[in-house]
Each structure stands twice: as C-alpha cells, then as structure tokens.
C-alpha cells in the first residue's frame, strides 16, 4: 500500500457538474453558463507557472485549429481543409513566423498545454477541445464554429433530446480575457458534420 499523502491547500475551489441532458443544464439551452473569473485566473496562473508555460505564452506564434472526428456524431468540420488553406494564405500568416497546429486531442498533456499557451488564435467546431482555452494567454483570438437551433425532433443527443449551442466557451473566454467570436455553420447541427463559410472564419482571425 502507498503511504498516506496529505496535501495542504490555502484555497480549495469546488466544481459541480450538471447531468448532461438535464433541462436546467446550460448545454440544453436552459440557462446561461457561468465561469467565475477569480478561480479561473488562479487556475491558469498556477498551471502556467508550474509548467513553465509562461515562456510559451510570451512568444505566441501558433494558430490552433481544433479538428474533431469527421463522422456525424463527431461534429467535425466538413470543409476543414478549405479553412486550413485559407489560414495559410492570410497576409498576417505569411508575413510573420506563425505556424499552424491541427489539434486532435492526442499526445502528452504537457505538450497540449504548451500548444495552447503559445496560441495567437484558436478555432474549431464547438466541443471539449475548447476546454484547453484555460491555458491560453489573455487576448488570444477564439473563433468557435457553432450551429443554430436544437436540430428538431429527429436530431437527438443520447436518444433524449437535441442540444442547443451552449455559451460555455463564450463564458470561459470572457472570464479569461480572450477575444471571442462565434461563426454559425450554414449546414449541420450538434450531431452532424458542420460546414461553414471559410471567409467568415478568416475574417475573425484577421487583424
């Protein structure tokens, strides 16, 4: 047996999770999300400093595009390649030493933290990859690709109900002083492939 470990803490923050399909859950459109600024800032400061991520945050040279699985339930971006090509052709991208990283949620956690800490911009379809915004430096550009409505009666999440687009990542961005923009897909919903007008996404990344 491992010896008992006691960890002393000056502050403890508790997080309560809603049942995912609860009507009161912000994910289902029942109410707005709320991310208190103080504990999030303290969390970011602790993670960034203890992992020496401040070095990466001071040299933000990365555009991160979050790539979700391409199948319907994965809510992937159907014209991902078109958006990537557009980013690589942006004047701000070609005239500076920016690099593009396609993030698929793989690799070591520390390396993922470094990627987001060095990000000048983060974009992609709504999904859990945006939880990594907590590692981003203030004023990082965030472009979330979402959808309209809940998909109707024929579009169900886990066989219970459709899902409205949650404002959770807008709320998270607001608490962390990130520059958030939302672009709605012209085709798709929470359980299907999303297609977006690439020029709208690129406009949000351009200075």
């Amino acid at each position: 047996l491992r010896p008992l470990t006691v960890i002393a803490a000056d502050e403890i923050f508790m997080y309560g999770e809603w049942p995912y399909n609860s009507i009161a859950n912000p994910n289902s459109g029942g109410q707005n999300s709320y991310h208190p600024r103080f504990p999030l800032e303290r969390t970011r400061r602790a993670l960034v400093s203890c992992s020496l991520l401040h070095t990466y945050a001071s040299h933000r040279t990365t555009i991160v595009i979050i790539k979700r699985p391409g199948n319907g339930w994965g809510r992937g971006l159907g014209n991902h390649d078109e958006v990537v090509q557009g980013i690589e052709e942006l004047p701000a991208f070609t005239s500076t030493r920016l690099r593009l990283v396609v993030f698929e949620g793989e690799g070591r956690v520390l390396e993922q933290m470094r990627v987001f800490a060095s990000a000048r911009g983060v974009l992609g379809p709504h999904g859990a990859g945006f939880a990594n915004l907590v590692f981003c430096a203030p004023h990082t550009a965030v472009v979330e690709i979402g959808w309209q409505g809940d998909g109707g009666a024929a579009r169900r999440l886990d066989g219970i109900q459709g899902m409205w687009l949650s404002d959770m990542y807008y709320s998270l961005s607001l608490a962390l002083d990130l520059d958030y923009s939302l672009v709605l897909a012209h085709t798709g919903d929470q359980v299907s492939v999303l297609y977006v007008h690439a020029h709208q996404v690129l406009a949000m990344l351009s200075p």
Side-chain angles (χ1 to χ4, degrees), residues 61-144:
T61 58
T62 305
I63 301 294
V64 180
I65 180 166
I66 300 171
K67 184 176 183 181
R68 294 179 59 83
N71 57 30
W73 282 94
R75 201 165 53 249
L77 185 60
N79 56 332
H80 169 90
D81 292 341
E82 178 189 1
V83 173
V84 167
Q85 180 179 350
I87 294 172
E88 293 176 336
E89 294 174 354
L90 285 174
F93 190 89
T94 57
S95 63
T96 60
R97 295 183 177 181
L98 291 178
R99 66 187 184 108
L100 181 67
V101 173
V102 178
F103 177 76
E104 299 184 69
E106 300 175 347
R108 296 171 59 89
V109 173
L110 183 57
E111 181 56 34
Q112 294 180 18
M113 294 167 68
R114 288 170 174 164
V115 166
F116 282 86
S118 66
R120 181 174 295 187
V122 178
L123 68 146
H126 174 89
F130 279 103
N132 292 287
L133 293 178
V134 73
F135 306 124
C136 292
H139 305 298
T140 299
V142 177
V143 183
E144 181 179 15

Side-chain angles (χ1 to χ4, degrees), residues 90-196:
L90 285 174
F93 190 89
T94 57
S95 63
T96 60
R97 295 183 177 181
L98 291 178
R99 66 187 184 108
L100 181 67
V101 173
V102 178
F103 177 76
E104 299 184 69
E106 300 175 347
R108 296 171 59 89
V109 173
L110 183 57
E111 181 56 34
Q112 294 180 18
M113 294 167 68
R114 288 170 174 164
V115 166
F116 282 86
S118 66
R120 181 174 295 187
V122 178
L123 68 146
H126 174 89
F130 279 103
N132 292 287
L133 293 178
V134 73
F135 306 124
C136 292
H139 305 298
T140 299
V142 177
V143 183
E144 181 179 15
I145 299 171
W147 63 90
Q148 301 184 61
D150 66 354
R155 310 298 289 174
R156 300 293 182 180
L157 181 67
D158 298 336
I160 299 176
Q161 64 185 41
M163 189 178 87
W164 292 83
L165 177 64
S166 169
D167 66 350
M168 64 177 77
Y169 300 119
Y170 163 73
S171 175
L172 183 61
S173 297
L174 192 66
L176 293 172
D177 290 323
L178 308 179
D179 298 334
Y180 176 92
S181 300
L182 172 65
V183 176
L184 294 177
H186 59 78
T187 305
D189 56 29
Q190 89 280 10
V191 291
S192 64
V193 175
L194 300 174
Y195 287 87
V196 69

